[in-house]
Amino acid sequence: MPRTSKALAPERIAAILAALRAAYPDVVCALIHRNAFELVIATALSAQTTDVNVNKVTPALFKLYPTPRALAAASLPEIEEIIHSTGFYRAKAKNIQAAARVLVEQFNSKVPTTIDELIQLPGVARKTANVVLGSWFGIASGVVVDTHVLRLSRRLQLTRHTEPVKVERDLIKILPQDRWIQFSHELIHHGRQICLARKPRCADCTLEPLCHSRDKTWSSHR
Ligand code: SF4
């Protein structure tokens, strides 16, 4: 789907943002967390699985290991057992423990507040860093591009790229910075509830009048 100047017209972008805000006025990160450390770990665990699955294991994990120091000193097999159901549990257990160790050793057990520092943590890439900065610290350093944001941004012709870093670059150019954080939350919820990957529910979609995706299952444009 090409990005055309019409697709990126400021009034169209403004209309998309207004419709999303009206549909999801109070949307927040769906991962349960009480502090930045828990959000780092929960987001790292959310790779290749759902937030619902992550939320099933994190209460037990954070009860046993409530701080970076406790997680850093934990037994790896015990971590693996707790997070097993989130998939890729061996790599994830190793990464979250290594991240906890880096937090203790290099950041005095405090989660840093810049992308450059956050991506030094094992298992933390740009997406996780943006989630933590946006959802916990309220810092709009970038736009979270997960599978939903990527798919919907393409369907809405906001990007033609498929690599998250390039999609994020496109979104940063066209969205006002004060909408970067909420826009991701809104698209993620819209992707989960309406703009489903296989069979988008276009007849129920608030963005339908603005959408020209070839994947549409219903259109008012005819
Ligand atoms: S109209 Fe359909 S394809 Fe377009 S955003 Fe809505 S659900 Fe997705």
Side-chain angles (χ1 to χ4, degrees), residues 134-179:
S135 288
W136 184 259
F137 293 108
I139 298 171
S141 262
V143 179
V144 173
V145 177
D146 76 340
T147 179
H148 300 291
V149 175
L150 197 150
R151 179 178 75 256
L152 271 66
S153 296
R154 285 174 56 80
R155 281 179 172 164
L156 291 166
Q157 295 169 273
L158 305 179
T159 185
R160 59 185 163 77
H161 289 294
T162 52
E163 291 166 57
V165 173
K166 291 182 179 170
V167 173
E168 183 184 359
R169 217 176 287 151
D170 282 343
L171 294 176
I172 281 172
K173 271 187 226 150
I174 57 176
L175 300 174
Q177 191 169 4
D178 64 2
R179 290 291 271 114

Side-chain angles (χ1 to χ4, degrees), residues 2 7 88 102 108 125 128 198 212 214:
F88 303 96
V102 173
N108 197 23
T128 299
R198 295 225 177 112
H212 298 272
R214 286 192 206 125

Side-chain angles (χ1 to χ4, degrees), residues 70-149:
L71 187 59
S75 125
L76 197 56
E78 261 181 43
I79 302 174
E80 287 176 355
E81 201 183 318
I82 297 169
I83 67 162
H84 190 278
S85 60
T86 67
F88 303 96
Y89 66 96
R90 286 220 164 87
K92 286 181 181 177
K94 219 167 135 191
N95 273 338
I96 62 172
Q97 181 164 61
R101 286 188 178 145
V102 173
L103 282 174
V104 172
E105 287 159 17
Q106 292 181 31
F107 297 102
N108 197 23
S109 292
K110 292 208 166 57
V111 174
T113 55
T114 66
I115 290 245
D116 289 344
E117 289 170 311
L118 276 165
I119 60 176
Q120 289 176 36
L121 304 177
V124 173
R126 233 190 124 76
K127 188 195 90 176
T128 299
N130 276 329
V131 169
V132 174
L133 290 176
S135 288
W136 184 259
F137 293 108
I139 298 171
S141 262
V143 179
V144 173
V145 177
D146 76 340
T147 179
H148 300 291
V149 175

